[in-house]
Amino acid sequence: MRLPRKRRADRTVGTDDTGSLERTEGPQRRRRPTGRAKGRRRAGRKARRLRIDFPRRGRRGWRRWTPSWKLTSGLFLLFAGALAGLFTAVYIQVEIPNPHDSARRQATVYYWADGSRMVSVGDVNRQDVKLSEVPESVQRAVIAAENADFYSDSGVSVTGIGRAAVNIVKGKETQGGSTITQQYVKNTYLSQDQTVQRKIKELFLSMKVSNQRPKAEILEGYLNTSWFGRDAYGVQAASYAYYGIPAKELNPSQGALLAAVLKGAESFDPSLSAGNRQRAEDRWSWILDRQVETGSMSAEERAKYTQFPEPKPPVKPTSQAGQIGYLVDIVNKSLKSRSGITDKDLAAGGYSVHTTFEKDKVLALTKAVEQVRAERLDPKNRAEDEYVQVGAASIRPKDGAVVAVYGGSDAIEHFTNNADTSGVPAASAFKPFVYAAALEQELEGGERPAEGADPDPLKPKASGPSMASVGLHAALVASDHTPFVEIGKKIGLKKVKELAVASGLREESMAKLEPTFSIGTSTPSAVRLASAYTTFVNQGRATEPYSVTKAERNGVALEGLGQPKPRRAMSSEAAATVSAALRQVSWSAVGPPKGQRTDSVSWAGKTGPNDRMNSAWFIGATPQLSTSVAMFRTKPDVPQLLPMQGVGGPDSERGSAFPPLIWKAYNEVVVPTPSNPADGPQDRP
């Protein structure tokens, strides 16, 4: 029973100044505490709020040391809050670094004229491609196999990281479970070390990358940096390594196998062992089924792929041995001179370079050189046959494309590219340009012949220097020097030089303008001389030789490449007249062509027994190909060319007999005739 308010007030208890209790009567108010009492009361309340009841009051034995649920939950929340704060602080401080060098470095891939891959050059066999160049079926296969919820996850798998961390601490091998984002981060920004520190760094970077980068960019980076085995980094290199095609041509079945080898090529490359074959086939099938399960492939489409997509056998990494190194050398020179890229750019790699080189012709030219050397030279028993070198080049007259070269026995052992190096005198092979310059001078001073008619160089003209007495036509066929020296003096050596350069010879390869200039003291390369001879085939029009049809890096094409435009180097009349003389040179050297019209097949220039220079040349041009062959002797550490006297025996005409033999052996294979179809050899260059 509650007392009335008044009576409750009568029972108020207070304290006196000594702290003893006293009862007050009547309705008087409670005394207000002094300042000191207020302080003591406030301190007591604060102490009660901060007190942690541990060990627990009112408990005995072990219960005294058991924390209450309030204390436990409080400590947990405190720990979780501190951990979250630390996590947030670390996340904010972490910055996405630049990709490490190995992730940026790519191979430069060179292709034959037919689009097949010639060689991949670079420390890392990788060539980045845009995600749009990877079929969606391949993307779906990789996602189904590696990270089905890639497009919706946060970029990390905490359970996978935890399991890997525990295994690292225990000294066991790590297991899979990383997301595509984590694998991309590891490939691009981190080392492959299996440490707890690296895993923690991977966690933070993966979350940050997932938050800041589009999923498509992450998937593209992952596909371009992943290891597929067979020395292939990235899906483009892998596609060539396993199927010999670019990634954009992969079908869903092939894409599923490439997704399978991502788990570990040493265990899933089917060509390595029978066990690998079974594992690869099982995983390939599972990946296709997995795509149906995740909804990225219909059951009807899955039913189409029942036969295992057998990859091609693995091959050793392609090197620059044989002729490959010389081809790459010519292409790189062209890239630098025409597109403006530097050696540093090439060293960074990542270029896709399509060349004009035709594999069958490179093989045929190599075989022709090796055949003649083996049959006619004997360096073990004849000292004059030592240190003999051959350089050759074959060019398509209609557009100037370099289709084949022979740069030496092996690009790894013989570093100088004999096909594209100045230093070998052209000798009598230069005389057609002197003849053409004389004709141009004569035509300028007299009436031009009717269109299509060959001017007679022996018939005097109304004005200009008469060539009736010099007989350049006969002199060219007979390799007679004197008439050319005389005509050079009359028309001026500068005019001869200008016409030769206009035809395609390099200015820097021209010799001094001395009387011997007209008999070939200039030193053009085999490529340039073959190119210049196309001027006689093309009615006086010259085309700059080229070896690159297209080059690009990261999808961006380089400028300044492709087919050059032809230019007028001499009149069609002069070209036709020189051609008539060269045709006779060709027949005297290699005989009339088989199965073809003798009046329209070949134009050739050659050195002969009267040449005293240390070189032997033969340049034969047909409507299909203009091919030059040079033979000379050079010894390491000896700057001058060695003499050609006695090379191949006393009947070799100072070695001049051999270049025509090489040309003929090559031309009979690559230029089809009714009696000799060009099947082409099958060996590798």
Side-chain angles (χ1 to χ4, degrees):
M1 179 176 178
R2 296 175 62 86
L3 296 174
R5 189 176 189 87
K6 180 178 179 181
R7 297 189 60 183
R8 286 178 63 203
D10 293 343
R11 299 171 67 94
T12 300
V13 178
T15 59
D16 60 14
D17 292 338
T18 62
S20 61
L21 297 176
E22 65 174 358
R23 186 180 299 277
T24 61
E25 300 295 338
Q28 68 185 41
R29 296 179 179 177
R30 180 184 302 173
R31 290 184 181 180
R32 293 184 179 179
T34 63
R36 183 179 299 175
K38 284 183 178 180
R40 287 198 299 268
R41 188 173 295 176
R42 191 178 298 115
R45 286 197 299 268
K46 188 174 181 181
R48 284 194 296 273
R49 285 198 302 269
L50 296 176
R51 176 166 180 168
I52 298 176
D53 189 18
F54 191 84
R56 299 176 67 183
R57 292 177 296 172
R59 299 289 191 274
R60 296 180 181 277
W62 61 272
R63 292 184 180 86
R64 179 175 170 79
W65 300 96
T66 303
S68 66
W69 67 270
K70 291 183 179 179
L71 178 61
T72 302
S73 60
L75 291 175
F76 175 77
L77 291 174
L78 181 63
F79 174 76
L83 187 62
L86 177 63
F87 188 92
T88 303
V90 174
Y91 178 83
I92 293 173
Q93 291 180 0
V94 166
E95 294 183 357
I96 300 175
N98 293 325
H100 50 64
D101 289 342
S102 61
R104 290 196 303 263
R105 194 181 308 124
Q106 302 177 48
T108 289
V109 182
Y110 300 81
Y111 298 90
W112 294 104
D114 63 4
S116 60
R117 185 160 72 164
M118 178 198 303
V119 65
S120 176
V121 177
D123 294 335
V124 177
N125 181 21
R126 185 180 74 247
Q127 187 180 22
D128 289 352
V129 292
K130 298 292 185 183
L131 189 61
S132 59
E133 298 180 53
V134 181
E136 289 189 9
S137 60
V138 178
Q139 299 177 38
R140 293 194 295 265
V142 171
I143 290 173
E146 297 292 308
N147 186 183
D149 57 350
F150 165 71
Y151 281 107
S152 60
D153 66 19
S154 63
V156 298
S157 170
V158 178
T159 56
I161 290 180
R163 182 172 59 250
V166 170
N167 288 337
I168 291 171
V169 172
K170 292 182 178 180
K172 298 181 180 179
E173 292 185 1
T174 60
Q175 300 176 1
S178 296
T179 65
I180 284 176
T181 305
Q182 287 175 248
Q183 295 179 64
Y184 164 65
V185 165
K186 180 176 64 175
N187 294 342
T188 308
Y189 304 110
L190 303 175
S191 69
Q192 301 298 313
D193 298 337
Q194 299 292 349
T195 63
V196 174
Q197 292 87 342
R198 206 270 294 157
K199 279 290 182 184
I200 293 174
K201 189 179 294 186
E202 176 188 309
L203 171 68
F204 285 100
L205 273 177
S206 297
M207 288 190 296
K208 198 134 194 177
V209 167
S210 183
N211 287 334
Q212 296 184 5
R213 304 281 174 82
K215 289 288 188 178
E217 182 180 331
I218 295 172
L219 181 59
E220 178 183 297
Y222 172 69
L223 291 172
N224 280 323
T225 57
S226 293
W227 168 251
F228 287 82
R230 299 196 179 189
D231 195 37
Y233 282 90
V235 66
Q236 180 82 334
S239 183
Y240 278 111
Y242 285 86
Y243 293 107
I245 57 176
K248 64 183 179 182
E249 296 180 12
L250 290 168
N251 63 41
S253 182
Q254 295 167 332
L257 178 63
L258 292 187
V261 299
L262 277 172
K263 190 172 179 66
E266 65 280 356
S267 299
F268 292 91
D269 184 339
S271 62
L272 298 182
S273 68
N276 272 24
R277 167 63 186 245
Q278 187 61 53
R279 283 189 291 271
E281 192 165 351
D282 291 344
R283 186 161 176 81
W284 162 79
S285 180
W286 174 82
I287 289 173
L288 292 172
D289 292 339
R290 177 67 171 161
Q291 291 181 73
V292 176
E293 181 183 337
T294 58
S296 60
M297 177 182 285
S298 67
E300 292 77 13
E301 186 178 5
R302 167 67 181 92
K304 298 177 183 178
Y305 308 115
T306 57
Q307 186 173 358
F308 183 70
E310 197 71 48
K312 67 177 187 177
V315 296
K316 294 181 179 180
T318 310
S319 69
Q320 296 190 54
Q323 297 304 304
I324 298 297
Y326 302 124
L327 302 180
V328 170
D329 173 66
I330 289 176
V331 168
N332 287 348
K333 289 177 181 176
S334 179
L335 288 173
K336 289 185 288 185
S337 64
R338 299 182 65 192
S339 69
I341 65 174
T342 64
D343 286 324
K344 184 178 180 180
D345 295 329
L346 287 170
Y351 293 94
S352 174
V353 185
H354 294 262
T355 77
T356 58
F357 299 122
E358 299 179 20
K359 186 176 181 180
D360 61 332
K361 292 180 174 58
V362 173
L363 294 168
L365 187 56
T366 301
K367 185 174 181 179
V369 173
E370 292 176 347
Q371 177 183 325
V372 171
R373 289 183 65 106
E375 292 176 354
R376 300 301 181 107
L377 300 181
D378 187 11
K380 292 183 178 180
N381 299 310
R382 192 162 45 226
E384 293 84 355
D385 291 355
E386 291 184 297
Y387 309 115
V388 172
Q389 295 291 335
V390 175
S394 191
I395 290 178
R396 193 165 55 221
K398 68 177 183 179
D399 61 358
V402 184
V403 298
V405 299
Y406 179 85
S409 57
D410 192 312
I412 293 178
E413 298 175 0
H414 177 73
F415 302 105
T416 302
N417 190 341
N418 295 342
D420 196 37
T421 300
S422 296
V424 181
S428 289
F430 185 79
K431 292 176 182 176
F433 304 105
V434 182
Y435 192 3
L439 289 168
E440 289 290 271
Q441 179 80 6
E442 181 177 333
L443 290 169
E444 288 176 4
E447 296 183 358
R448 292 181 179 272
E451 183 68 27
D454 290 350
D456 183 0
L458 302 181
K459 183 178 179 181
K461 304 298 177 183
S463 61
S466 171
M467 291 187 287
S469 61
V470 296
L472 292 183
H473 184 112
L476 183 64
V477 175
S479 190
D480 189 359
H481 294 337
T482 303
F484 286 94
V485 174
E486 293 298 324
I487 200 66
K489 292 178 180 178
K490 288 183 179 180
I491 63 175
L493 297 178
K494 184 179 180 181
K495 289 185 177 295
V496 175
K497 175 183 175 181
E498 289 173 348
L499 184 137
V501 171
S503 299
L505 302 187
R506 289 190 181 278
E507 175 86 25
E508 56 268 27
S509 70
M510 295 291 99
K512 293 181 179 181
L513 299 183
E514 300 173 341
T516 54
F517 179 83
S518 295
I519 57 174
T521 52
S522 295
T523 57
S525 67
V527 169
R528 285 287 164 174
L529 206 45
S531 175
Y533 265 65
T534 66
T535 307
F536 305 122
V537 179
N538 291 327
Q539 293 79 48
R541 291 184 297 271
T543 303
E544 189 75 6
Y546 74 105
S547 57
V548 181
T549 58
K550 180 178 66 174
E552 60 183 20
R553 191 174 194 272
N554 296 330
V556 179
L558 300 183
E559 297 181 354
L561 302 174
Q563 181 177 336
K565 294 182 179 180
R567 61 184 182 276
R568 174 65 61 183
M570 65 183 73
S571 66
S572 58
E573 295 89 347
T577 301
V578 175
S579 295
L582 290 176
R583 199 173 297 127
Q584 287 188 256
V585 174
S586 174
W587 299 345
S588 65
V590 297
K594 296 180 180 179
Q596 297 187 17
R597 292 173 54 192
T598 59
D599 62 345
S600 62
V601 174
S602 61
W603 297 259
K606 68 183 290 289
T607 54
N610 295 330
D611 285 294
R612 291 293 181 265
M613 297 178 189
N614 296 328
S615 59
W617 283 89
F618 184 86
I619 303 92
T622 72
Q624 295 84 14
L625 293 173
S626 175
T627 304
S628 64
V629 182
M631 180 177 283
F632 55 96
R633 296 177 69 213
T634 180
K635 185 177 182 180
D637 302 324
V638 177
Q640 296 83 14
L641 295 180
L642 301 179
M644 292 289 290
Q645 185 68 35
V647 171
D651 299 329
S652 72
E653 300 179 352
R654 302 176 63 86
S656 295
F658 299 143
L661 295 177
I662 294 172
W663 181 90
K664 184 176 183 179
Y666 166 71
N667 218 58
E668 287 181 348
V669 172
V670 298
V671 177
T673 65
S675 59
N676 184 32
D679 296 326
Q682 301 300 316
D683 301 327
R684 293 183 60 83

